[in-house]
Amino acid sequence: MISDKMKALVEQSSVIRAMFEEGKNMAKLYGAENVFDFSLGNPSVNPPAQIKEAINYVVNEEDENLVHGYMNNSGYEDVRKAVAASLNSKFGTNFSYENILMTVGAAGGLNVIFKTLLNPGDEVVAFAPFFGEYRNYVSNFDGKLVVVAPDTKTFMPDMEGLREAITKKTKIVLINTPNNPTGVIYGDATLKELAKVLDEKSKEIGEPIYLIADEPYRELAYDGVEVPYVTKYYANTIVGYSYSKSLSLPGERIGYLVIPSEITGSKEIISAAGVANRILGFVNAPSLIQRVVGRCLDVQVDVDIYNRNRELLYNSLTEYGYECVKPQGAFYLFVKSFDMDDKEFVAMAKKKNILVVPGSSFGCPGYVRIAYCVDYDMIKRSLKGFEELARECNK
Amino acid sequence: MISDKMKALVEQSSVIRAMFEEGKNMAKLYGAENVFDFSLGNPSVNPPAQIKEAINYVVNEEDENLVHGYMNNSGYEDVRKAVAASLNSKFGTNFSYENILMTVGAAGGLNVIFKTLLNPGDEVVAFAPFFGEYRNYVSNFDGKLVVVAPDTKTFMPDMEGLREAITKKTKIVLINTPNNPTGVIYGDATLKELAKVLDEKSKEIGEPIYLIADEPYRELAYDGVEVPYVTKYYANTIVGYSYSKSLSLPGERIGYLVIPSEITGSKEIISAAGVANRILGFVNAPSLIQRVVGRCLDVQVDVDIYNRNRELLYNSLTEYGYECVKPQGAFYLFVKSFDMDDKEFVAMAKKKNILVVPGSSFGCPGYVRIAYCVDYDMIKRSLKGFEELARECNK
C-alpha cells in the first residue's frame, strides 16, 4: 500500500530499529546496568541551567500570542538578529537577520536547502564516512548522492577523490565538521585546499558549486582545537546548524541555516528557502524554543564531561589493540572492526551486551561507530567486554 | 540558481507576501488602528491557562533529558497513549498508542502521509474551495491534485463531481471539516454518502482509496453542531490533527496523525509513516510541547470569543448585501465578491484598508476569505468600510 520509495526505505530502516528493539529486550533480560548501549547520538549531558531559566522567562514574562503564534516563516526577526550578531561577534562575519533562517533542527535545514537548490538528477558530493541520513535527504528531492571514498588513515577529505567526483551535474558539496562518525575537524589548511578545488571546479563546469557545512557539532571540540568558520574560506558556502548537541535539545528540533549575501543568487535562494520551509510542512521552527535559544546564544553544554568519556574510551580501546583516529570533536569514536566484517563485529559485540553501529551505515564498512555521549560509569562497566571482544576478534 | 520547481512556487508565493508587506506599510501610513487585516488564520484568542501551567510543570518537574531529548520518531509513548485514550473516550473509537504518530503540526502530518502513500503521478482528490497549501504538499511528492468544482450554494462536497474525479490513479481523497475557508461542517448524512461513494469506487478500481480528514478546526464549532469522527464512517480513513487552533499554538508546530488498525495495510503504513517523519527532516514532533499537549487533552480555547466575532461579522455583512453561507465552524467567512473578479474586489477592499484573501487562492474564484480570528473591536471599526465597499461594488 505504501509508495515504492518508502518500501525500500522501510526495509533499510528496520535493520537499525531491530537493533534498538534488541537493546530493550537485552535490558529486560540482563538488567539495564549490564547493557552497554553506544548506538545513539542522544546527548547524556543536561542542557545548561540557562535553558530552564530562559523557558521560565519566555513563558511567564512574554506575550503568549507572540510566544506561541505564527511569525514569519523564516523565524522571529529579533531572534534572527540575535543569532546573526552572535555569529558576527564570534567569527568576524557580517551577517544580517536576513541571512538567518530558523529551522526544525539541522535535518529540517538540510531538507529546506536541498528542496531549494536541487533539480532531479543533480548531484550532491559527500565524503565517506558520512551521516547516513544524507542519502535520504538527497533522495527526497530526487538528487543523487555521490560518495568520495574514505581516507581511512586520517579520515580527512580526499581532494583528489573530490576532483574526480565532481561533474557537470554537481550542485552541492556537503561537509560535516566536527564529523559524525569520526570526530575529525577540518582545519585551516584543509578548508583552504577545499575552497581552491571548488573554485577551480566551479569555473570548469561553468556553474557555482555550493558548499554546505552541516555543523551540529561545532561547539563540541576538545584540546582547544579551533573549528574554523567555513564561510570565510569559500564564498558559495551555506551553513546548517542545530542546537541539538550544543544545548542538549535534540527533541526540540531547533537550528538555523546561514545563507550569506555573498553567495551566487543569494536573494533568490533566501526567498525560496523561506517558501520551502513553509511548503515542506515545517512552516516555521517551533516558536517557544526559538525565543529560548535566542536568549542562550553564548551558552553551551559542559564539554568536559564528554572529554572525560573520550579519554577513558579512547585510551582503553587503543590499549586493547583497537585502531582509531583520536577524535578532536563530536562525541563518537570510529573504530576499525579488526579484520572482520563490521556487521559481524557488531553481532559479536552484541553478545557482550555492547551495542554499536556498523560503519557501513556511514558509507564506510570495516569500522564501527561508538557514541560516547553516555554515562561515564557505563563506559567503565563496558571495558571488560571491549577487552574480551578484542581478544576474540584477534584469535 | 534555485530549482525549477521552486521558481514557480516563489512566483506564486510572492503575491501573498506582497499583500502582507502592503499591510505593514499601510499600518505605518494610516496607523495600526485604521488597518483591518482579515488575511491571516493566526488565532487571536490566548491559549487556555492550562498551557502555561503545563509548561511550568513539565520544565520544572520532569527530567530534563526526557523533556528535551530524542524519543521514538513517532513520539513519546505516554503522550501517544494519552492522545489515544482521549480520542477513545470522546468518540468511542478503539485506538492504541501505535495508531498515533505525533507530528510537526497538521502540515507536517499531511506531508508525512503523502510521502508514505504517494507514488509519482498518483492522484489526490480535493473539494474546492480548499486550503491552497494542499497543492504544494501533493506536489512535494510528484502527486497530482484533482479538484472537484465547488457547490457554491452549500459548499458541501459534490458527490457526483467526486464520482467523476476518481480514476485508476486515485490514491487519496482529502477532506477538511470544519472547512477552511468556508466554515461548513460535514454532518452524518454527508459522511455516510461520502463513505458509500468511496466504498463503491474502491471496489471499482480494485484498490483502496484512503480518505484523509484534515481536522485542525475540529474543536471550533458553533451552535452546538456536532463534528462527527470520520473513522467511524469509512474504514480506510486517516486523520490529521493540529493543536494550532484548538489550543492557539500555531507557532509550536504540534499535531498528530491517526492511522487506525482497520485500514488496508495498516502495519506497513504505520511503520513507513514513522520512517517518513524521520527522513523528511522532522525527526519527531517538538518534545517539550508534546509533553505539554499530553497534559491538556481535555482543554480548548474559548470558542465563545470567535462566535461573538462570527455573529457580528456575518450579521453585518449580510445586512450590507454580502452573500455568504453562515459558517458552522472554523473562523472564516467565505463571501461572494458580488459580480466582481475576486482579485479586483481584494484590491478595492485594500483601498478601505481591509485585507482579505481572494478565493482563487482556494480554488474558488468569485469569493474572498475573511478570517475573523481577530480583535472584536477591529471588526467593529472595519464595518463602515465593508458597507461602503458593498455600495461601490453594486453601483
Side-chain angles (χ1 to χ4, degrees):
Chain A
M1 292 304 122
I2 62 175
S3 70
D4 299 336
K5 261 194 177 183
M6 284 308 304
K7 261 180 213 154
L9 290 165
V10 170
E11 271 167 38
Q12 289 161 28
S13 289
S14 63
V15 178
I16 296 175
R17 188 179 315 124
M19 189 162 85
F20 297 153
E21 292 306 318
E22 207 160 330
K24 280 189 217 165
N25 286 339
M26 282 162 66
K28 273 183 212 159
L29 275 174
Y30 308 111
E33 73 283 5
N34 299 316
V35 176
F36 315 110
D37 189 345
F38 294 96
S39 64
L40 284 165
N42 204 8
S44 55
V45 176
N46 273 340
Q50 289 89 337
I51 290 291
K52 195 177 276 192
E53 284 165 27
I55 297 176
N56 279 315
Y57 178 86
V58 169
V59 169
N60 297 306
E61 304 298 328
E62 293 196 338
D63 175 63
E64 278 186 294
N65 275 340
L66 171 78
V67 171
H68 303 299
Y70 283 130
M71 81 301 301
N72 186 300
N73 294 134
S74 301
Y76 292 105
E77 201 172 302
D78 62 336
V79 173
R80 294 157 71 201
K81 273 185 186 158
V83 169
S86 163
L87 292 174
N88 294 342
S89 105
K90 279 181 199 160
F91 305 117
T93 48
N94 192 25
F95 303 129
S96 85
Y97 80 94
E98 293 181 289
N99 302 117
I100 309 296
L101 169 62
M102 302 304 294
T103 60
V104 172
L110 288 176
N111 275 282
V112 164
I113 200 65
F114 289 168
K115 169 89 175 171
T116 301
L117 294 176
L118 293 179
N119 279 318
D122 280 352
E123 293 175 358
V124 176
V125 178
F127 298 96
F130 58 88
F131 179 44
E133 290 288 274
Y134 291 165
R135 193 175 290 284
N136 296 328
Y137 300 163
V138 171
S139 146
N140 282 338
F141 309 101
D142 300 311
K144 187 182 160 198
L145 190 77
V146 175
V147 177
V148 177
D151 168 358
T152 54
K153 280 229 172 65
T154 64
F155 288 119
M156 296 299 275
D158 170 7
M159 299 299 171
E160 263 324 296
L162 175 60
R163 279 179 200 278
E164 284 162 28
I166 291 173
T167 73
K168 279 260 172 207
K169 287 253 168 206
T170 305
K171 188 87 183 247
I172 290 168
V173 170
L174 177 58
I175 60 172
N176 170 222
T177 160
N179 186 264
N180 171 13
T182 64
V184 302
I185 292 172
Y186 297 3
D188 184 74
T190 301
L191 290 174
K192 276 185 182 148
E193 209 186 332
L194 181 62
K196 199 172 147 246
V197 174
L198 294 182
D199 275 327
E200 279 174 28
K201 282 288 177 178
S202 293
K203 233 176 248 171
E204 190 181 308
I205 68 175
E207 295 284 346
I209 298 171
Y210 294 97
L211 179 62
I212 297 185
D214 177 30
E215 303 198 339
Y217 300 97
R218 159 162 290 282
E219 272 74 24
L220 305 192
Y222 308 108
D223 305 328
V225 172
E226 202 205 335
V227 184
Y229 210 72
V230 183
T231 61
K232 296 160 79 178
Y233 291 82
Y234 179 65
N236 279 325
T237 299
I238 293 165
V239 178
Y241 186 81
S242 163
Y243 293 98
S244 293
K245 321 296 180 185
S246 64
L247 296 175
S248 286
L249 300 173
E252 301 296 356
R253 314 311 304 133
I254 182 73
Y256 58 80
L257 285 172
V258 184
I259 308 176
S261 302
E262 290 74 19
I263 68 172
T264 310
S266 176
K267 275 203 174 168
E268 197 184 14
I269 292 171
I270 287 172
S271 157
V275 174
N277 203 30
R278 197 190 79 220
I279 70 176
L280 287 173
F282 300 113
V283 182
N284 54 251
S287 51
L288 163 62
I289 213 77
Q290 269 195 56
R291 304 206 62 73
V292 168
V293 297
R295 301 180 71 83
C296 297
L297 295 173
D298 297 317
V299 176
Q300 62 172 69
V301 294
D302 184 357
V303 173
D304 288 347
I305 301 177
Y306 293 132
N307 190 34
R308 200 168 152 236
N309 290 353
R310 177 183 74 127
E311 294 292 350
L312 174 63
L313 199 59
Y314 175 80
N315 291 337
S316 305
L317 294 198
T318 48
E319 192 193 310
Y320 306 150
Y322 290 88
E323 267 179 57
C324 174
V325 172
K326 187 170 187 181
Q328 297 185 298
F331 43 44
Y332 307 105
L333 287 189
F334 202 58
V335 172
K336 200 162 186 300
S337 54
F338 299 104
D339 293 328
M340 294 177 66
D341 178 88
D342 52 325
K343 287 177 185 164
E344 218 173 295
F345 178 90
V346 166
M348 278 183 69
K350 217 180 278 171
K351 287 187 189 153
K352 307 278 175 202
N353 292 358
I354 292 172
L355 300 178
V356 296
V357 181
S360 34
S361 300
F362 303 90
C364 189
Y367 290 78
V368 297
R369 188 190 77 170
I370 306 174
Y372 58 80
C373 48
V374 296
D375 185 49
Y376 187 76
D377 287 329
M378 189 193 95
I379 299 179
K380 283 207 283 189
R381 288 195 305 273
S382 74
L383 292 179
K384 195 169 148 266
F386 274 115
E387 193 176 9
E388 291 169 6
L389 190 57
R391 267 203 307 270
E392 289 167 26
C393 289
N394 289 311
K395 254 185 206 164
Chain B
M1 292 305 123
I2 63 176
S3 69
D4 298 336
K5 261 195 176 183
M6 283 309 303
K7 261 180 212 152
L9 290 165
V10 170
E11 271 166 39
Q12 289 160 26
S13 290
S14 63
V15 178
I16 297 175
R17 190 181 313 124
M19 189 163 85
F20 297 153
E21 293 305 320
E22 207 159 329
K24 280 189 216 162
N25 286 338
M26 281 163 65
K28 274 184 210 157
L29 276 172
Y30 308 112
E33 73 284 5
N34 300 315
V35 176
F36 315 112
D37 189 345
F38 294 96
S39 64
L40 284 165
N42 204 8
S44 55
V45 176
N46 275 340
Q50 289 89 338
I51 290 291
K52 194 178 276 189
E53 283 165 29
I55 298 176
N56 279 314
Y57 178 85
V58 169
V59 169
N60 297 306
E61 304 299 328
E62 293 196 339
D63 176 63
E64 278 185 295
N65 275 341
L66 171 78
V67 172
H68 304 299
Y70 283 129
M71 82 299 303
N72 187 299
N73 294 135
S74 300
Y76 292 105
E77 202 171 300
D78 62 336
V79 173
R80 294 157 71 200
K81 274 185 185 159
V83 169
S86 163
L87 291 174
N88 294 342
S89 105
K90 280 182 198 159
F91 305 116
T93 48
N94 192 26
F95 303 129
S96 85
Y97 80 94
E98 293 182 288
N99 302 118
I100 309 297
L101 168 62
M102 302 304 294
T103 60
V104 173
L110 288 176
N111 275 281
V112 164
I113 200 66
F114 289 168
K115 170 89 177 172
T116 301
L117 294 177
L118 294 179
N119 280 316
D122 279 353
E123 293 175 358
V124 177
V125 178
F127 297 96
F130 58 87
F131 179 45
E133 290 288 275
Y134 290 164
R135 193 175 289 286
N136 297 328
Y137 300 164
V138 172
S139 147
N140 282 339
F141 309 101
D142 300 312
K144 187 182 160 198
L145 190 77
V146 175
V147 177
V148 177
D151 168 358
T152 55
K153 280 227 173 68
T154 64
F155 288 120
M156 295 300 275
D158 170 7
M159 299 298 170
E160 262 325 294
L162 175 61
R163 279 178 200 278
E164 284 162 26
I166 290 173
T167 73
K168 279 260 171 208
K169 287 252 168 206
T170 305
K171 187 87 183 247
I172 291 168
V173 171
L174 176 59
I175 60 171
N176 170 223
T177 160
N179 186 263
N180 171 15
T182 65
V184 302
I185 292 172
Y186 296 4
D188 183 73
T190 301
L191 290 174
K192 275 183 183 150
E193 210 187 330
L194 181 61
K196 199 173 145 243
V197 174
L198 294 182
D199 275 327
E200 279 174 29
K201 283 287 177 179
S202 292
K203 234 175 248 173
E204 190 182 308
I205 68 175
E207 295 283 346
I209 298 171
Y210 293 97
L211 178 62
I212 298 185
D214 177 31
E215 303 198 339
Y217 299 98
R218 160 162 290 281
E219 272 74 25
L220 306 192
Y222 309 108
D223 306 328
V225 172
E226 201 204 336
V227 184
Y229 209 73
V230 184
T231 61
K232 295 160 78 179
Y233 291 82
Y234 179 64
N236 279 324
T237 299
I238 292 165
V239 178
Y241 186 80
S242 162
Y243 294 97
S244 293
K245 322 295 179 183
S246 64
L247 296 175
S248 285
L249 300 173
E252 301 297 353
R253 314 310 304 132
I254 182 74
Y256 59 79
L257 285 172
V258 184
I259 307 176
S261 302
E262 291 73 21
I263 69 174
T264 310
S266 176
K267 274 203 176 168
E268 196 184 14
I269 293 171
I270 287 173
S271 156
V275 174
N277 202 31
R278 196 190 80 218
I279 69 176
L280 287 173
F282 300 112
V283 183
N284 54 253
S287 51
L288 163 62
I289 213 75
Q290 268 195 58
R291 304 206 62 74
V292 168
V293 297
R295 302 180 71 82
C296 296
L297 295 174
D298 297 317
V299 175
Q300 63 173 68
V301 295
D302 184 356
V303 172
D304 288 345
I305 302 177
Y306 293 132
N307 190 34
R308 201 169 151 234
N309 290 353
R310 177 182 75 128
E311 293 292 351
L312 174 63
L313 198 59
Y314 175 79
N315 292 336
S316 305
L317 294 198
T318 48
E319 192 193 311
Y320 306 151
Y322 289 88
E323 268 179 57
C324 175
V325 172
K326 188 171 185 179
Q328 297 185 297
F331 42 43
Y332 308 104
L333 288 189
F334 201 58
V335 172
K336 199 163 187 298
S337 54
F338 298 104
D339 294 328
M340 294 177 64
D341 177 90
D342 53 325
K343 287 178 185 161
E344 220 173 291
F345 178 91
V346 166
M348 279 183 69
K350 218 181 274 170
K351 286 186 188 152
K352 307 277 175 202
N353 292 358
I354 293 172
L355 300 178
V356 297
V357 180
S360 35
S361 300
F362 303 90
C364 189
Y367 290 78
V368 296
R369 189 190 77 172
I370 308 175
Y372 58 80
C373 48
V374 297
D375 187 47
Y376 187 76
D377 287 331
M378 190 193 94
I379 300 179
K380 283 207 282 189
R381 289 196 305 274
S382 74
L383 293 178
K384 197 171 146 264
F386 275 115
E387 193 177 7
E388 292 170 5
L389 190 58
R391 269 204 305 272
E392 288 167 27
C393 289
N394 290 310
K395 254 185 208 162

